[in-house]
Amino acid sequence: MSFNRQLKHEIEQGESKTLEFKRELPKGEQLSKTLVAFANTSGGKLIIGVDDQRRIVGIQGDEFELMDQVASIVHAQCLPTLLPSIYLETIKQKTLLVVQVHRGSQLPYFLKSKGRDDGTYVRIGASNRPASLDMIHELERQRLNQSFDEQASWEVELKQLDLTPLYNAFTQQGKTLDEQRLQSLKLVKQEHDQLRPTHGLLILLGHYEHVEIKCARFKGDNMAVFLDKKEYRGDLFQQLSQAEIFIKNHLHLRAEILGLQRTDTYEIPIPAIREALINAVVHRDYSNFGRDIKLGIYDDCVNIVSPGGLPNGITLEEALQGRSEIRNKVVARVFRELGYIEQWGSGMARIRQLCQEAKTPKPVFKEIGDSFDIEFLRDQSLQGTVEEKAGGAIGGAIGGAIENLTTAQQSVLAVIQANPSYPYRKIAEELNINPSAVQKHLEKLKELGVIERVGGTRGYWQVKI
């Protein structure tokens, strides 16, 4: 595609995170706000000579004088210094003035007249928004190639933390986690002659209130009526297991006869959902303490929304092509070490591939404002079948039982799924509850046919859903 045709195609697509139209040269600080926002986000083009309806009207007056005006405005109003590409393009015999800015390396960029705190703008969707102080700090970290989760936390002492969930996760992979390893993974950091936990360690342990996954099953295709609702906290590994169980409890099974065997599979491939949950947990914005991951199950789709949008200026098109930008380096490094991540940038491609192999609809990836959204479409043909029971069990026998599990029983089930060899005392330790209570939960789960003990005392738990 020629450059001219490419620009025409971009105009036809409309304004976006990286594209804005103006009929004529903006007055005041409008032009500078847009260019500053582009430089702080993903870069972009301001095209002068196109109206709000995407009609190409062309620029009026002397083209070269307009180019000089743009250069003067940018020099006079923007800090640090921006060096945009300013050039002319002709489409449909109309001349357009294009001002292109790449993502800058001297973040944050701001308006001189307002200063850094009030004059920093970012691009959210197709609009320019003033950056909050948290956003400005994040831009500064990006300039220094640091992530929020690498920084030391002064909120809690290392000795006050229970690292058992993390030690267990490494032990299950046949790996050790000593003090040297904690430092090399940047889970702890030497500050003023003492070891401090990093934000990454506190995030992995679920120490912060906003580190949670809120799950809901709604009636119909909107959020008007709740059918089920759970909020999962604790360490990230436990949250992932519990969220996966919640989804399974509300999905249908489709049956397929292969030879003399009946095979039952979930309407959406569970490995694809698991990958989407991992992506949400690893790549969300943890520096924003007011938001959490939300998982909604509707009649027509399963929707996972994580706060923060795509990290470090990456666009959706780049992400879908496999470009990887890591927002949370500590969390990502630990998940890679434990085998949750195979290779950087492969998450979206793997989700699409798994859905394609399962012959289910393509998942939809969207960046909506400063959130990232993954939507799995559900099979409407399964609505109203016996497989509609929670848990998807044939005939609804197991499914109906799971639907009635208490939160504590679901927590026990989540630990068993992640650690099948755990004895009841270890499960009690993991959940910080009484061992006798765990025994009662296990007996109830066995009675319902949800789990089975294989191999006696030295055996393991088998989950039958």
Side-chain angles (χ1 to χ4, degrees):
M1 184 183 293
S2 70
F3 193 80
N4 188 283
R5 286 178 60 194
Q6 179 181 341
L7 187 64
K8 184 183 177 188
H9 175 72
E10 290 174 352
I11 293 172
E12 290 169 350
Q13 297 300 306
E15 291 186 319
S16 67
K17 183 178 180 179
T18 58
L19 191 65
E20 183 165 313
F21 307 142
K22 292 296 180 186
R23 185 183 182 95
E24 55 190 25
L25 185 66
K27 296 180 181 178
E29 295 177 337
Q30 288 184 358
L31 181 141
S32 298
K33 284 182 183 178
T34 298
L35 299 186
V36 158
F38 281 152
N40 283 330
T41 314
S42 304
K45 294 175 186 172
L46 171 64
I47 304 178
I48 301 169
V50 178
D51 67 14
D52 292 339
Q53 286 72 47
R54 309 179 198 176
R55 291 180 299 213
I56 298 172
V57 297
I59 56 175
Q60 306 298 319
D62 186 280
E63 297 92 339
F64 301 107
E65 185 177 330
L66 283 175
M67 294 172 74
D68 288 342
Q69 284 184 42
V70 170
S72 297
I73 290 170
V74 172
H75 178 74
Q77 296 184 357
C78 302
L79 276 178
T81 303
L82 278 177
L83 298 173
S85 297
I86 306 170
Y87 56 90
L88 303 172
E89 278 289 328
T90 301
I91 298 177
K92 295 181 179 180
Q93 299 181 333
K94 302 283 187 180
T95 301
L96 304 178
L97 177 60
V98 182
V99 186
Q100 183 171 6
V101 173
H102 296 287
R103 188 167 197 264
S105 60
Q106 300 298 312
L107 305 167
Y109 293 85
F110 55 91
L111 303 184
K112 286 183 185 179
S113 60
K114 294 187 174 183
R116 190 206 66 162
D117 289 359
D118 297 321
T120 300
Y121 290 82
V122 291
R123 192 79 173 167
I124 296 180
S127 62
N128 307 316
R129 303 272 183 87
S132 66
L133 199 55
D134 285 340
M135 285 183 184
I136 293 170
H137 290 160
E138 174 61 21
L139 290 170
E140 290 175 333
R141 283 192 291 269
Q142 291 174 22
R143 184 187 73 227
L144 299 171
N145 196 31
Q146 295 177 350
S147 63
F148 169 74
D149 65 345
E150 288 179 311
Q151 295 183 329
S153 170
W154 295 88
E155 178 180 307
V156 63
E157 298 285 340
L158 183 60
K159 62 185 178 183
Q160 296 175 289
L161 297 173
D162 180 7
L163 304 185
T164 303
L166 205 53
Y167 286 130
N168 289 340
F170 275 78
T171 300
Q172 289 159 27
Q173 298 298 320
K175 299 180 179 182
T176 57
L177 189 63
D178 54 18
E179 184 176 305
Q180 183 179 352
R181 195 85 180 102
L182 284 169
Q183 290 193 63
S184 66
L185 289 170
K186 297 189 178 180
L187 293 164
V188 296
K189 191 174 182 180
Q190 195 80 28
E191 291 281 352
H192 305 304
D193 298 324
Q194 62 174 311
L195 279 180
R196 304 292 313 179
T198 61
H199 291 299
L201 177 57
L202 298 181
I203 288 166
L204 286 160
L205 295 176
H207 177 80
Y208 296 124
E209 286 187 11
H210 71 302
V211 180
E212 67 175 335
I213 302 177
K214 290 182 178 175
C215 303
R217 169 66 169 105
F218 298 101
K219 182 178 180 181
D221 59 2
N222 58 61
M223 295 186 290
V225 180
F226 282 100
L227 295 179
D228 192 9
K229 184 179 180 182
K230 296 285 190 303
E231 296 182 2
Y232 297 120
R233 298 199 58 206
D235 65 84
L236 291 188
F237 314 110
Q238 182 178 325
Q239 286 187 34
L240 285 170
S241 295
Q242 291 173 322
E244 183 180 327
I245 289 171
F246 183 89
I247 294 174
K248 285 180 177 178
N249 288 350
H250 293 287
L251 288 186
H252 308 292
L253 278 177
R254 69 158 60 88
E256 185 179 6
I257 305 298
L258 298 174
L260 299 177
Q261 296 281 332
R262 170 172 170 153
T263 302
D264 298 293
T265 56
Y266 287 97
E267 58 181 302
I268 301 169
I270 296 302
I273 286 175
R274 189 177 299 126
E275 190 77 33
L277 287 170
I278 290 169
N279 274 7
V281 164
V282 170
H283 297 300
R284 60 157 288 188
D285 181 5
Y286 288 103
S287 67
N288 186 330
F289 279 69
R291 301 168 66 194
D292 43 44
I293 294 172
K294 291 182 172 56
L295 189 160
I297 302 178
Y298 305 84
D299 286 356
D300 59 344
C301 71
V302 174
N303 183 232
I304 301 170
V305 181
S306 56
L310 289 165
N312 301 357
I314 189 172
T315 64
L316 181 57
E317 292 74 18
E318 291 169 335
L320 290 171
Q321 290 169 9
R323 179 179 163 186
S324 178
E325 291 285 342
I326 309 300
R327 174 183 275 127
N328 305 301
K329 295 179 182 178
V330 175
V331 175
R333 194 179 292 115
V334 169
F335 270 68
R336 173 73 180 271
E337 186 78 13
L338 296 175
Y340 285 86
I341 299 172
E342 291 185 2
Q343 61 185 44
W344 305 125
S346 64
M348 292 188 194
R350 179 168 161 73
I351 292 168
R352 289 191 294 185
Q353 181 185 350
L354 288 165
C355 290
Q356 183 178 356
E357 290 173 353
K359 298 179 181 177
T360 57
K362 281 184 179 180
V364 180
F365 302 95
K366 293 181 284 187
E367 190 176 25
I368 302 176
D370 61 344
S371 295
F372 190 72
D373 191 301
I374 301 179
E375 186 175 275
F376 295 94
L377 300 179
R378 300 186 65 186
D379 189 342
Q380 297 297 295
S381 68
L382 294 177
Q383 298 289 336
T385 66
V386 294
E387 283 78 9
E388 186 176 340
K389 297 289 185 182
I394 303 303
I398 295 176
I402 291 177
E403 189 176 40
N404 296 319
L405 292 185
T406 65
T407 301
Q409 289 164 354
Q410 289 196 31
S411 296
V412 170
L413 190 59
V415 174
I416 288 172
Q417 280 203 318
N419 313 281
S421 63
Y422 271 16
Y424 75 92
R425 291 188 183 278
K426 193 70 175 174
I427 297 171
E429 183 183 325
E430 182 86 5
L431 296 174
N432 196 27
I433 60 178
N434 193 293
S436 61
V438 171
Q439 284 183 305
K440 290 179 181 178
H441 295 321
L442 292 172
E443 288 302 319
K444 184 63 176 178
L445 291 170
K446 286 193 289 184
E447 180 186 323
L448 293 171
V450 175
I451 61 172
E452 179 182 5
R453 187 69 183 178
V454 178
T457 307
R458 296 183 178 277
Y460 62 92
W461 296 104
Q462 183 178 58
V463 179
K464 301 173 69 176
I465 59 172

